[in-house]
Every structure is written in structure tokens, then in C-alpha cells.
Amino acid sequence: MTAGSTITQSATTSLGRAARELELRRGEFDLAVHLGCVRTLPDEGGGGRRVARAEIDRLRSEAGFPETLHERVKAVGTTEGAALMGMTTTRFTRLARLGLVVPVKFYLNRYRAIVWLYLAEELRQFAADEKHAPLMKGRTPEGLRGQLEEGVDLRPRNWRGRHLGFQLRQSEDPWARAAVVASLLDPAAVAEVARDPYERAYLNRLRPDRASGAAPDSPAALIAERIVTADDPDEIGWLRADLRQTLSEAREDRPAPRPSASSVLPMPATLRERPPAPARTTDSTDAPDVARSRRLLGWLRRRNADADLPTAP
């Protein structure tokens, strides 16, 4: 069943109920959806996404349910991941910084430190591959050591690439897909590609929620913002090119919404039709009064001058 199939409300269930029926915690369920383990459908009523009853029945009928499903979505941190691969946490961190193992999630602990999580199934597969044997033990190859000494850390970039794929698989609308790409760029980079302010406003309205879940403008949210925003020049260039392409596809589908002419309030008539203030002029009827005032002023000045003259003894 494809995501675009029309399906009745009674044949689907909410995401929360689907998670309970599949015996997954909500975080595990969200990861299962991102990985494609659980397929979702758009709600015909516009209420988000739902899960078909047939999809739940399919997963529940698999051999080893629910343990097999749990294993497919199990995410582990550095310590447990290193133990799964039979190496020290230091070596595991080096592999992650070099991009050889890719995080699937992250969160901030109570000390606001970034905790990266990895799929346990992928780590086991990496360790079982014989071509990775030189990386599992002994000295790190010289070329890789040089990258580590330069401070390379590909964990944020690799997470962003993976997260972008997750979001695009869930986005069928062309404008929503463009918003997914734009969400990984800073506003200035988006403005350089989407110069129309109405398009930028539409992209911002459709952008997916940030991965941190922290309150806006909180210290945790600011840290998460740095993780979810591309900072490598190559990555930024690639995302900008992708945004141009997705924007072009979105414009072909439909233009971004704009305010209608009727929604713009007209200028009040009192302001629109108010005549300019006339220049002040001296009315001819005022001339006698003006002359009279000037004669009186002259008389007062002469009187004051005479009063200041010295008197004879």
C-alpha cells in the first residue's frame, strides 16, 4: 500500500495507538517510521499521518515480534556501542568523528552535553565486515590520524544528511520537501535562494519541527540549532543547489500563497482625500490693522527713548 493511497479513517489508527499496539516507546516508534520499518499514510482529513491497520497486522505477524522489531530500532550510545563492537570508547569516538559510523539520533543531557545515538544493528554489521578489521584494532591509519588531529568531527553533518533523508521520505508535497531542505540552512542562505518574501514565509510555515524538542531560545535549543544547521561550505553549497531544485519543482506545482487584494485594508478616505494645507497669506482686509499696529509700536519706541535722555539740573 502506497503512502498516496486513499484509505478510510476506520482502516487507520493514530501514531500513538500504533506505537502502543506495536509495543514501542514513542521515541522507538518515531525512529521506526524514519527508518521505514513502519509505513505511515497521510490523514485525508489533514490531521497529520496515520498507520494503516494492515501495516500493524503485518508487523505483529512477523516471527519473533516484538523482539525483532525492537532490535531493528535499538539505538545505543558511545559506551554500549563500543562494547557491541569490542573496542574502547576512545576508538569508537574516533570512528564516529571520522564518519565511519553514523549517528541516528542525538539529545542533550542535563549538563547540555550532546549525546549521540547509533543503531545497534548497524554497529554489529560494521564490526562483522572483514574489511573493517584494520580499524577495529591497532593504530589508526596515518591519513585518518591526520584528520583527527585537525579536529574533524563529521557526526553533526552525517546526522543532518541522514535526517534529511528521513524527512524527505515523509514529505510528498513539493513545497514541504523544499521546506525540509531549507530547514538545514540558516535564514541568510535561504534568502539568497528564495528571494520572494512570500515564498520564504511559506517555507518557514512548512518547515519540520526541530529535533531537540527544547523550548525556543533556551540554551538547549541554541545548542541544538547549531547541530541542525549546516556549517560546512561544501554541505551548504550542496543544500543550496538542492533547495533551488526543490523550489523550482514547487513553483511548477503551485505558487506560494499571497494575501488577496480584498485582504489588504484600504486607506481611510479621510487620509486619502485630505487636501493640502493652504499657504498662509496676509489678507488685504488685515492691512489697516497691520498699519495701525506698526504706528503704535513706533510711538512706544520713541517714548522709551525720550525717557532715557538726561534731565537738566
Side-chain angles (χ1 to χ4, degrees), residues 54-70:
E55 176 72 357
I56 296 175
D57 295 340
R58 179 185 70 83
L59 292 167
R60 290 181 63 89
S61 65
E62 289 182 347
F65 176 85
E67 287 77 13
T68 52
L69 182 58
H70 286 167

Side-chain angles (χ1 to χ4, degrees), residues 85-87 91 95 125-141:
M85 299 178 71
M87 61 178 62
R91 181 178 292 272
L95 294 181
Q125 292 174 357
F126 183 96
D129 193 333
E130 293 183 358
K131 70 180 181 182
H132 296 148
L135 300 171
M136 303 291 291
K137 296 180 181 179
R139 288 177 60 82
T140 303

Side-chain angles (χ1 to χ4, degrees), residues 16-211:
R17 181 168 180 177
R20 292 191 297 271
E21 293 195 28
L22 294 174
E23 302 182 32
L24 295 172
R25 294 190 294 271
R26 188 54 191 262
E28 294 174 328
F29 177 82
D30 291 342
L31 185 54
V33 171
H34 287 164
L35 296 172
C37 300
V38 178
R39 295 172 293 187
T40 63
L41 296 166
D43 186 354
E44 296 298 327
R49 301 190 71 84
R50 297 176 67 83
V51 180
R53 296 295 321 174
E55 176 72 357
I56 296 175
D57 295 340
R58 179 185 70 83
L59 292 167
R60 290 181 63 89
S61 65
E62 289 182 347
F65 176 85
E67 287 77 13
T68 52
L69 182 58
H70 286 167
E71 284 300 313
R72 284 155 64 186
V73 298
K74 183 179 181 181
V76 298
T78 298
T79 301
E80 190 173 355
L84 282 175
M85 299 178 71
M87 61 178 62
T88 64
T89 56
T90 300
R91 181 178 292 272
F92 181 90
T93 301
R94 288 175 181 170
L95 294 181
R97 288 177 55 192
L98 290 166
L100 299 175
V101 292
V102 180
V104 71
K105 292 176 62 176
F106 77 89
Y107 68 90
L108 302 179
N109 63 16
R110 60 179 178 174
Y111 303 108
R112 297 176 190 157
I114 304 169
V115 179
W116 297 102
L117 299 177
Y118 308 82
L119 281 177
E121 187 175 36
E122 289 184 353
L123 299 183
R124 284 191 287 263
Q125 292 174 357
F126 183 96
D129 193 333
E130 293 183 358
K131 70 180 181 182
H132 296 148
L135 300 171
M136 303 291 291
K137 296 180 181 179
R139 288 177 60 82
T140 303
E142 184 176 351
L144 298 180
R145 286 203 311 272
Q147 295 182 46
L148 291 171
E149 291 171 359
E150 293 174 359
V152 67
D153 188 352
L154 297 179
R155 288 174 295 184
R157 178 173 179 173
N158 284 341
W159 175 85
R160 287 191 293 267
R162 190 166 206 168
H163 185 68
L164 177 63
F166 290 162
Q167 295 289 342
L168 289 177
R169 283 195 293 272
Q170 294 295 310
S171 305
E172 298 163 356
D173 176 75
W175 280 100
R177 293 175 65 83
V180 168
V181 180
S183 70
L184 299 182
L185 289 166
D186 64 43
V190 174
E192 291 176 359
V193 179
R195 297 185 179 275
D196 188 324
Y198 294 107
E199 289 186 346
R200 293 199 300 273
Y202 197 35
L203 292 174
N204 191 58
R205 193 171 81 190
L206 295 176
R207 70 186 298 168
D209 295 334
R210 289 302 199 184

Side-chain angles (χ1 to χ4, degrees), residues 210-232:
R210 289 302 199 184
S212 69
D217 299 326
S218 66
L222 296 177
I223 295 173
E225 188 75 14
R226 293 198 298 268
I227 297 174
V228 302
T229 304
D231 58 0
D232 181 82

